[in-house]
Amino acid sequence: MRLVLLGPPGAGKGTQATRIAGRFAIPQLSTGDMLREAVASGSVLGARVKGIMERGDLVPDDVVIAVVADRMDHSDAASGFILDGFPRTVAQAEALDRELAARGIALDAVLELEVDEDVLLVRVKGRADAAAKQGQLVRRDDNPDVFKTRLKAYRAQTAPVTEYYRSRGLVHVVDGLQPIDVVTDELAAVLTAFA
Ligand code: AMP
């Protein structure tokens, strides 16, 4: 099963992608995680994207496309994956189509978490506070100012991706403001048709 999970920052994509990956035994391909790992490792790629991520802007398409194309070729992704945080621009979606076509595969479904934007800011603040309380590292882009930049990037660049897929009948929308377990169950219910 090959999936894309869309939704604004703070909508719970990471949490839900992890759960769906577990239920359907497919890897979660999170570009945010991959880029954060690159930053933590001090690689050339990491140095290139660090400042961009800290500002809440989008990393250039060519960089992130190369990261995903490479990750899709790992053996654990051979029979499926859930993309989390990618594609975030229409150019990325088009590149993904080309990468999939070159491998003779296609997406089964695009899942969208729908969340009221006013609730997101509260949620992200809660995520930062909870992490700090548990002594975990707080993401530097989880502060209200940077979050607003991320939301702006989402509206301008990522919202059109939903339309790109909607026109092909791939999009399934789930209300992301429901309790976490309910969201997971609704996503899983959509996916039973493709499993
Ligand atoms: P995330 O964890 O998905 O919210 O991503 C954290 C940050 O990584 C984003 O704010 C961007 O700076 C960068 N990033 C992650 N995925 C992408 C992508 N597909 N395109 C561009 N930048 C990305």
Side-chain angles (χ1 to χ4, degrees), residues 5-178:
L5 181 60
L6 296 175
K13 284 193 302 293
T15 303
Q16 295 300 338
T18 304
R19 288 168 159 229
I20 294 301
R23 279 207 198 184
F24 294 90
I26 48 176
Q28 170 188 4
L29 273 48
S30 159
T31 43
D33 285 350
M34 291 183 245
L35 294 170
R36 276 186 289 278
E37 275 164 30
V39 171
S41 75
S43 67
V44 174
L45 169 66
R48 184 167 172 203
V49 302
K50 188 172 186 283
I52 299 173
M53 292 177 74
E54 284 176 0
R55 287 196 301 276
D57 289 327
L58 292 185
V59 166
D61 287 336
D62 59 331
V63 173
V64 79
I65 289 162
V67 167
V68 171
D70 178 68
R71 181 64 185 85
M72 279 198 311
D73 287 335
H74 291 204
S75 58
D76 65 337
S79 60
F81 48 76
I82 178 164
L83 284 163
D84 159 19
F86 180 94
R88 260 182 161 94
T89 65
V90 171
Q92 290 179 18
E94 289 168 350
L96 176 62
D97 277 344
R98 287 194 295 274
E99 295 293 340
L100 293 170
R103 291 163 178 77
I105 53 182
L107 292 176
D108 293 299
V110 174
L111 305 166
E112 189 191 18
L113 293 178
E114 200 174 44
V115 178
D116 189 305
E117 283 190 13
D118 292 339
V119 182
L120 290 176
L121 203 61
V122 179
R123 224 186 225 201
V124 162
K125 197 172 173 314
R127 184 157 85 184
D129 290 349
K133 219 181 256 172
Q134 289 170 18
Q136 292 170 358
L137 207 66
V138 178
R139 278 174 54 175
R140 288 176 74 163
D141 57 359
D142 266 356
N143 76 55
D145 284 339
V146 177
F147 183 75
K148 280 178 195 152
T149 304
R150 291 166 64 202
L151 206 51
K152 216 164 128 193
Y154 175 80
R155 268 191 235 118
Q157 290 162 280
T158 311
V161 174
T162 306
E163 294 315 311
Y164 177 83
Y165 288 128
R166 203 189 300 277
S167 64
R168 288 161 41 186
L170 283 171
V171 178
H172 303 264
V173 181
V174 167
D175 175 1
L177 283 182
Q178 303 175 97

